[in-house]
Amino acid sequence: MLEHVTATRYVVPLREGGSLPGVVEADDLGTYVVKFSGAGQGLKVLVAEVVVGELARALGLAVPRLVTIELPAAIARYEADEEVQDLLNASPGTNLGVDLLPGALGYDGSRSPTTEEASRILWLDAFTANVDRTWSNPNLLLWHRQVWAIDHGAALYFHHGWPSRSPDADRFARQPFRADQHVLLEVAGDLRATHDELAAHVDTALLDSVLAAVPDAWLEPTHQLPSPAAARTAYREHLLRRLEGVGHWLPGGAA
Ligand SMILES: Nc1ncnc2c1ncn2[C@@H]1O[C@H](COP(=O)(O)OP(=O)(O)OP(=O)(O)O)[C@@H](O)[C@H]1O
Ligand SMILES: [Mg+2]
């Protein structure tokens, strides 16, 4: 389970983010970048944020702390910006909070991560099919001399088909990953060694603990996956099968 906090003040929208995330203060005196449940991208991007973010953390990558954040109705009432007010009104209940890294700089290549860090981030993106780490949108922050990975909402795109199609773990297992546009391609090293090291940690127990952090309310029932438990099992199977299919997606070739 993620820690749960309640928003006390909406501070400012982050207009550079496509989903209009906002900086929000909470009752634990923390400041968070909030990804709203009512944003046009839907709840599945929040699921991907939690699954991939917590997987990254478990594998030792630097990712900001994640919380679930309750948005009281009163927060929207004091908001003057109509677009923001609409988004707040569309997002009652549980939203995603990403610990704000104050003063963090966007990644521009001037200070690279180590080869090992770069390899781990690229491996994670290939494993989870995260296409959103390119030079036009690096989704990496520099903070306290460290490269932090953010914004994993585009990963696990297979789940966008679930409302209509049956889960198909085999298809995901075989889906290649195009690394040629990846922002860390030039810095990363031998991904086979990285795969051997990281994949050894990704087992049922780890995936179940990561999936347990996803709030039930974000796992919308579908015909084929009628309960949060069924959805969690499907995510777990997709990720376990993908590990087995490493030869299809590992940049640089089979492990
Ligand atoms: N934890 C954080 N600390 C500091 N700044 C952050 C944090 N999270 C996000 N940001 C800033 O906000 C921007 C938008 O965040 P993010 O990429 O997560 O949102 P998004 O709506 O998913 O964006 P995109 O347009 O890439 O899909 C980031 O590029 C970064 O500048
Ligand atoms: Mg982004």
Side-chain angles (χ1 to χ4, degrees):
M1 288 273 280
L2 299 178
E3 239 177 280
H4 188 66
V5 302
T6 300
T8 50
R9 188 166 80 97
Y10 182 92
V11 183
V12 68
L14 285 169
R15 299 231 172 247
E16 67 264 42
S19 65
L20 200 59
V23 176
V24 169
E25 289 172 353
D27 61 350
D28 65 344
L29 305 183
T31 306
Y32 299 95
V33 172
V34 174
K35 303 284 188 92
F36 294 101
S37 61
Q41 289 80 352
L43 292 171
K44 290 213 163 61
V45 299
L46 303 188
V47 175
E49 288 269 16
V50 173
V51 174
V52 179
E54 292 304 310
L55 183 60
R57 191 188 322 285
L59 295 174
L61 280 74
V63 280
R65 183 173 138 259
L66 301 179
V67 298
T68 49
I69 182 162
E70 198 84 13
L71 218 55
I75 296 272
R77 235 174 282 143
Y78 299 107
E79 178 53 48
D81 184 310
E82 215 172 295
E83 190 188 0
V84 172
Q85 195 178 58
D86 287 348
L87 184 56
L88 296 176
N89 280 325
S91 309
T94 305
N95 298 273
L96 178 70
V98 184
D99 200 15
L100 178 85
L101 308 180
L105 301 173
Y107 183 75
D108 63 0
S110 57
R111 184 190 285 243
S112 297
T114 64
T115 303
E116 192 192 346
E117 286 165 344
S119 302
R120 285 165 173 249
I121 294 170
L122 178 51
W123 181 86
L124 179 82
D125 290 337
F127 175 44
T128 63
N130 179 25
V131 294
D132 221 355
R133 198 127 37 216
T134 61
W135 278 110
S136 59
N137 204 0
N139 288 317
L140 294 172
L141 296 177
L142 286 174
W143 190 69
H144 284 219
R145 297 167 186 269
Q146 171 96 46
V147 173
W148 297 71
I150 60 161
D151 192 2
H152 301 110
L156 311 180
Y157 56 81
F158 58 79
H159 59 182
H160 294 286
W162 282 354
S164 54
R165 263 185 277 124
S166 296
D168 188 348
D170 272 340
R171 187 152 180 262
F172 182 53
R174 291 193 302 264
Q175 200 90 52
F177 179 76
R178 285 198 50 195
D180 52 334
Q181 302 292 317
H182 197 280
V183 66
L184 296 179
L185 184 63
E186 302 301 323
V187 191
D190 175 13
L191 287 188
R192 281 166 299 193
T194 306
H195 175 79
D196 290 344
E197 188 204 337
L198 296 186
H201 297 283
V202 181
D203 57 13
T204 300
L206 178 74
L207 292 172
D208 283 350
S209 76
V210 161
L211 287 161
V214 180
D216 280 1
W218 295 351
L219 296 167
E220 296 167 291
T222 66
H223 186 63
Q224 281 97 0
L225 301 170
S227 67
R232 287 195 179 91
T233 302
Y235 281 109
R236 188 183 71 209
E237 290 314 305
H238 275 65
L239 289 166
L240 287 174
R241 293 297 280 280
R242 182 131 173 115
L243 269 193
E244 291 167 12
V246 57
H248 294 279
W249 53 262
L250 190 74

